[in-house]
Amino acid sequence: MSQILEAPTFKWSFLHPKYFHTWIGVSLMFLISWLPYRVLRLLGQKFGLLIMHFLKNRRNIAERNLQLCFPEMTVGERKVMLKENSKHMGLALFETCMAWFWPDWRIKKHVKYIGFEQLDAIKAKKKGVLIIAVHSLNLELGARAFGTHTSGFGVYRANSNPVYDWIQYRGRTQDNGAIDRFDVKRMVKILREGGLLWYAPDHDYGCHRYAWAPLFAVEKACTTTGTHLLASAGKADVMTFTITRDRKGTGYTLTLDPPMAAFPYNDEAAAATYTNKFIERSILRAPEQYMWLHRRFKSRPEGERSLYE
């Protein structure tokens, strides 16, 4: 059954004292967004190193993920990667301020677009496009920057705090639309009507509509079959999208790859394996910028031990 996502609206109850901490936090985000970009980048890196010093459990998860995915990586290389990843995690918090409060002109000033000319040819065919993204630490800004060039729809999960949810929704839908994460029917409809939909299938969503597919050195990674469902039912082209922070500190590059030429529309298990290969390519463009903090391999086949013990 289709679930219509109603845009959150302001309510006078939002001014209740119990939400004061939320308003203070969001006001701080707004003020931070006015800082020069170079200052934001410097503060974000320092902040990331600071908070990751206290998040020992998350550091351990990130380190374990790197061990699983890149067993050939030395202890020294892994240590360097984790330090850089911590910096980028802090940057992500500051980039949320940028994504929600920067005007379009300021977004475009710091973003370079590669491959977006392909969308014109696809639109001319009136064919839908399923954009596969990965949970890079700059995805919030990436979605906003994508929308300033070409608007589309993103999958939305409401926040339990109504004030924060109202602000979050406004920030994320300035240039794009939002669809409830359970409203598969509407997602398919948008694709069949020639629309553009972002989808991030790189996390472990549990053993529900899934397939075991290789991801880097892990032979059995629980992988959602949602990509296959949306692409086949929506009769859509499938493309990958990556945002990377420029290492020189000047801005970002958004890369839209050509449509997957051999996507297996008739085989969901093969589609999961095929999609993971493209996810690997996206991650490897800037592995230090990926969300390694997530327990990507928490689900295991029956009888197998957890990989995080």
Side-chain angles (χ1 to χ4, degrees):
M1 184 176 181
S2 179
Q3 302 178 31
I4 303 300
L5 179 61
E6 295 184 4
T9 56
F10 178 83
K11 298 179 176 62
W12 288 110
S13 60
F14 289 178
L15 301 180
H16 191 280
K18 68 180 180 180
Y19 296 123
F20 279 3
H21 68 286
T22 304
W23 286 112
I24 292 172
V26 172
S27 297
L28 183 60
M29 291 176 66
F30 176 73
L31 293 175
I32 287 173
S33 74
W34 282 85
L35 293 172
Y37 175 68
R38 290 187 180 277
V39 175
L40 289 169
R41 189 176 181 104
L42 176 63
L43 291 176
Q45 291 176 332
K46 298 296 184 183
F47 185 66
L49 290 173
L50 175 64
I51 61 176
M52 284 306 293
H53 178 74
F54 298 98
L55 300 178
K56 183 178 179 180
N57 183 53
R58 287 296 172 182
R59 289 204 317 270
N60 291 339
I61 291 173
E63 182 172 16
R64 181 57 175 156
N65 281 332
L66 291 175
Q67 290 175 339
L68 292 169
C69 291
F70 309 111
E72 74 285 356
M73 188 179 288
T74 66
V75 174
E77 291 171 335
R78 199 159 57 241
K79 184 177 180 180
V80 171
M81 178 75 75
L82 288 170
K83 183 177 181 180
E84 290 301 307
N85 195 237
S86 295
K87 292 179 181 179
H88 287 288
M89 193 277 293
L91 275 168
L93 301 176
F94 284 73
E95 286 166 348
T96 299
C97 306
M98 295 157 53
W100 292 2
F101 299 114
W102 271 16
D104 284 0
W105 68 264
R106 198 173 177 193
I107 295 281
K108 292 179 178 179
K109 177 182 177 181
H110 294 281
V111 173
K112 178 171 66 175
Y113 296 87
I114 297 177
F116 278 69
E117 69 282 351
Q118 303 171 88
L119 292 175
D120 292 333
I122 296 175
K123 287 180 179 179
K125 296 188 297 182
K126 296 182 178 181
K127 192 171 185 180
V129 184
L130 180 63
I131 303 293
I132 299 300
V134 297
H135 284 86
S136 59
L137 290 166
N138 44 26
L139 183 58
E140 191 81 37
L141 182 62
R144 172 71 195 286
F146 197 115
T148 62
H149 184 284
T150 304
S151 62
F153 289 86
V155 179
Y156 187 81
R157 179 177 183 175
N159 192 280
S160 59
N161 181 323
V163 176
Y164 188 83
D165 186 54
W166 176 66
I167 295 167
Q168 175 181 258
Y169 186 90
R170 287 168 59 87
R172 290 182 175 178
T173 57
Q174 295 178 74
D175 301 293
N176 301 299
I179 304 175
D180 186 280
R181 62 190 177 124
F182 296 116
D183 195 351
V184 177
K185 183 177 179 180
R186 186 166 179 237
M187 295 179 199
V188 171
K189 181 180 179 183
I190 285 172
L191 291 172
R192 286 190 171 183
E193 292 176 348
L196 184 151
L197 175 71
W198 295 293
Y199 188 65
D202 59 313
H203 273 187
D204 186 339
Y205 299 107
C207 299
H208 175 69
R209 292 182 178 175
Y210 73 101
W212 297 112
L215 183 66
F216 292 115
V218 180
E219 285 298 318
K220 297 177 182 178
C222 186
T223 304
T224 176
T225 55
T227 304
H228 171 267
L229 171 63
L230 293 170
S232 57
K235 304 182 186 304
D237 278 344
V238 185
M239 307 174 76
T240 49
F241 149 70
T242 313
I243 175 173
T244 54
R245 299 182 181 99
D246 298 341
R247 291 183 171 89
K248 293 182 179 179
T250 55
Y252 305 83
T253 299
L254 266 66
T255 303
L256 185 63
D257 296 301
M260 297 181 186
F263 187 86
Y265 288 92
N266 298 319
D267 188 332
E268 65 176 20
T273 298
Y274 186 78
T275 301
N276 276 357
K277 293 300 180 185
F278 286 86
I279 286 174
E280 291 176 5
R281 182 183 66 180
S282 292
I283 293 173
L284 288 175
R285 282 180 174 148
E288 74 280 5
Q289 299 176 24
Y290 185 65
M291 191 184 292
W292 296 110
L293 308 173
H294 169 71
R295 295 173 75 235
R296 174 60 185 87
F297 309 106
K298 61 185 177 183
S299 298
R300 304 307 304 146
E302 187 176 355
E304 289 195 13
R305 294 179 58 184
S306 170
L307 294 176
Y308 296 94
E309 293 180 352

